[in-house]
Amino acid sequence: MTMKYSEEHEWVTVEGDIATIGITDYAQKALGDIVFVEAPEVGSEINQGDEAGVVESVKAASDIITPVSGEVVEINEDLESAPGTVNTDPTGDGWMFRVKLSDPEELDGLMDAAAYKAHCESLDG
Amino acid sequence: MTETDLLQTPLDALHRQLGAKMVGFAGYAMPVSYPLGVLKEHEHTRQAASVFDVSHMGQLMIRGDDVIGAIEKLVPGDIAGLASHGTRYTLLTNDQGGIRDDLMVSRLGDALYVVVNAACKAQDLAYLRASIGNQVEIEELTDRALLALQGPQAAEVLTRFSPAVQHMNFMSVAEIHFHGTACLVTRSGYTGEDGYEISIPADEAEDFAQLLLGEPEVTFAGLGARDSLRLEAGLCLHGNDIDETTTPVEASLTWVIGKSRRARGGFPGAPIILDQITNKPARKRVGILPEGRAPARAGTEITDMDGTPIGVVTSGGFGPTVGGPVAMGYVKTAFFSPDTPVQLMVRGKALPAKVARLPFTPHRYYAG
């Protein structure tokens, strides 16, 4: 399954018309120890670029910007008791929510792994 | 401010060598965390011992014939009643009863050794010189670093370098030699744990920090852990929890106003502050314990159960030792009591919380 990335450091994978979204390894490293994740409500409609949730580290709160539009169909409830999973497995068990895609073409505007790597390197100067 | 404008502490090279994440704080490049991370640095400090570079803070030596009389014009603390080699937490108040800065004052013979906040040190120095500079000599110790060694194993570690520190009283100062280097050591800190703050000549600081780091109990901890530790310990951060608009009584710091000073007054803002002791202030700093998992950061509005605003969070975050979110802030008089239910307005949602007794994590200072 191909992983796509946003400039705001979210990743997306798609199976059928369901997208899974989380934050990247680069993002979890920058945030530090994550202590709280607030995912969007199941059933809510979110649009690309919306603040769909919040991830809080010991230091600060940071918005989760959804890279795709659609209806939220599932959230990762395990993160409520174990938010640190986002640090240890950001692109696996640390996934945050799933949406039923309303505009699959949005995926074409996201970065592939090589482009995202270059994006991170440009930020690190 | 760009990184090139930031001042460096004498340990700058060591922080970078250790892989610290550096941030600008009060004009200095400071380590916010090391590769261990804020959470583990916090936990390590509660379990063993950590070194914090606090060289950005202002260190002053005040000398003169009546240095006690001079400083007591500016602070509400009973400095005259301070034993030789005693250390006291006190405040520089303003004429409205607000808090210009909080500081540590240590009595060293006829001199006072004073440590002030980094962000306030320039204005503190100007204010001290303008107010009492004609009576006393005020020297800023710019050639000294300040290292805090904090945690339940701090005494065991530092005693290896000089046995003289082992039985120092909590809140006392001593001139100690470590390997021939003359240092000023106070048994104090900002974590709620036992520990020391060590004032050391700048050019000796890195070597000494490396020696401490070589001890098996010791790791470095950054500003991130320093903040979560002091928050759990219920200690104020000037600029957040106390400032020019909060009085010591409102800040629940009435204990810093010495008994003799309540009778004598004679410090800036005394009429307002002493009146609040008698007649109670309209608001007070309290602990706030959110019931859920979401941290409430500084600036979060506090409401009663009907949604009417009653105050604001001044410090808040995750308490690693508590294992959940903790905060403190100001609430109106009717909501002072521990366990009073309140709501925190976080991202437009009212989250349940309770007023809580401070500290969240019991202080474990050295008691002899």
Side-chain angles (χ1 to χ4, degrees):
Chain A
M1 199 179 338
T2 314
M3 195 168 270
K4 294 274 206 163
Y5 304 86
S6 73
E7 283 188 7
E8 291 83 16
H9 307 286
E10 281 79 22
W11 57 261
V12 192
T13 56
V14 178
E15 215 166 333
D17 60 352
I18 302 295
T20 302
I21 292 139
I23 67 167
T24 65
D25 188 55
Y26 180 93
Q28 71 80 15
K29 277 195 184 121
L31 289 166
D33 303 304
I34 288 160
V35 297
F36 177 73
V37 176
E38 186 175 283
E41 277 177 39
V42 172
S44 62
E45 289 284 341
I46 54 177
N47 293 311
Q48 186 180 46
D50 282 357
E51 295 163 8
V54 171
V55 52
E56 300 225 19
S57 72
V58 184
K59 285 170 283 181
S62 179
D63 292 320
I64 306 167
I65 310 292
T66 182
V68 289
S69 306
E71 182 193 343
V72 179
V73 292
E74 190 183 355
I75 63 169
N76 185 352
E77 289 176 357
D78 293 344
L79 297 182
E80 194 179 337
S81 56
T85 308
V86 178
N87 292 118
T88 53
D89 193 10
T91 53
D93 290 342
W95 68 275
M96 292 181 174
F97 57 93
R98 296 199 164 110
V99 301
K100 187 170 192 287
L101 290 171
S102 59
D103 183 5
E105 283 182 16
E106 285 172 349
L107 293 164
D108 299 338
L110 299 174
M111 288 177 271
D112 63 14
Y116 179 66
K117 185 163 175 269
H119 173 62
C120 293
E121 281 166 1
S122 74
L123 295 176
D124 289 337
Chain B
M1 189 178 286
T2 65
E3 188 162 353
T4 49
D5 294 326
L6 295 171
L7 300 167
Q8 296 179 348
T9 78
L11 295 186
D12 193 84
L14 181 57
H15 297 317
R16 291 173 200 274
Q17 187 190 320
L18 293 170
K21 201 178 278 185
M22 304 295 284
V23 294
F25 181 81
Y28 284 80
M30 297 297 293
V32 66
S33 61
Y34 298 85
L36 195 56
V38 177
L39 216 57
K40 291 203 175 72
E41 291 166 25
H42 177 113
E43 286 163 356
H44 185 90
T45 311
R46 292 260 186 260
Q47 286 157 12
S50 301
V51 179
F52 298 81
D53 179 12
V54 289
S55 302
H56 58 317
M57 299 187 77
Q59 302 183 62
L60 315 177
M61 196 65 82
I62 307 181
R63 299 182 182 86
D65 292 338
D66 185 21
V67 70
I68 304 284
I71 198 81
E72 282 204 346
K73 288 181 191 169
L74 306 181
V75 303
D78 177 14
I79 309 301
L82 191 56
S84 176
H85 292 87
T87 295
R88 190 152 287 174
Y89 173 74
T90 192
L91 308 166
L92 285 172
T93 50
N94 66 27
D95 289 337
Q96 290 73 48
I99 300 170
R100 306 176 71 104
D101 197 5
D102 60 344
L103 60 158
M104 295 290 243
V105 175
S106 299
R107 198 162 170 180
L108 272 175
D110 294 332
L112 294 176
Y113 167 63
V114 174
V115 178
V116 301
N117 277 304
C120 299
K121 69 179 171 184
Q123 63 256 40
D124 286 352
L125 205 54
Y127 170 67
L128 289 169
R129 287 192 167 129
S131 309
I132 56 172
N134 58 347
Q135 296 164 261
V136 293
E137 180 206 333
I138 302 164
E139 182 196 357
E140 185 183 5
L141 307 178
T142 52
D143 58 349
R144 296 184 83 89
L146 191 63
L147 305 183
L149 178 66
Q150 299 281 300
Q153 293 174 342
E156 200 180 322
V157 169
L158 203 59
T159 299
R160 287 180 207 139
F161 295 87
S162 170
V165 302
Q166 188 175 8
H167 298 296
M168 280 179 70
N169 289 329
F170 177 63
M171 294 300 273
S172 74
V173 65
E175 290 160 284
I176 305 279
H177 284 78
F178 297 113
H179 298 308
T181 300
C183 296
L184 265 182
V185 177
T186 61
R187 194 160 200 165
S188 66
Y190 195 46
T191 60
E193 300 296 329
D194 186 19
Y196 304 88
E197 291 195 352
I198 304 156
S199 170
I200 184 167
D203 55 2
E204 307 278 348
E206 184 176 331
D207 284 351
F208 189 60
Q210 292 271 27
L211 285 174
L212 289 174
L213 202 54
E215 297 300 314
E217 299 90 342
V218 178
T219 186
F220 260 72
L223 290 183
R226 186 170 156 82
D227 192 53
S228 54
L229 288 158
R230 70 93 197 162
L231 174 57
E232 283 185 339
L235 302 172
C236 292
L237 172 62
H238 190 270
N240 276 45
D241 309 299
I242 50 176
D243 61 29
E244 298 256 3
T245 69
T246 60
T247 71
V249 185
E250 290 168 341
S252 299
L253 295 174
T254 305
W255 61 272
V256 309
I257 304 161
K259 208 171 177 186
S260 68
R261 304 307 306 276
R262 296 185 198 195
R264 274 189 286 136
F267 53 88
I272 294 167
I273 293 167
L274 296 177
D275 176 73
Q276 282 188 350
I277 295 177
T278 310
N279 295 316
K280 304 295 174 209
R283 58 175 183 163
K284 201 175 167 187
R285 179 178 62 97
V286 295
I288 304 280
L289 206 53
E291 286 179 5
R293 301 294 300 171
R297 306 282 173 180
T300 300
E301 187 176 72
I302 308 170
T303 74
D304 66 12
M305 297 313 284
D306 299 327
T308 307
I310 56 159
V312 65
V313 170
T314 51
S315 283
F318 182 80
T321 307
V322 170
V326 289
M328 52 192 190
Y330 286 82
V331 296
K332 287 184 178 171
T333 314
F335 300 87
F336 283 178
S337 307
D339 296 328
T340 304
V342 295
Q343 299 185 120
L344 299 168
M345 298 305 294
V346 177
R347 294 182 285 275
K349 281 183 221 157
L351 304 181
K354 275 186 174 150
V355 173
R357 233 174 263 285
L358 292 172
F360 295 106
T361 304
H363 294 160
R364 298 193 293 178
Y365 300 134
Y366 178 69

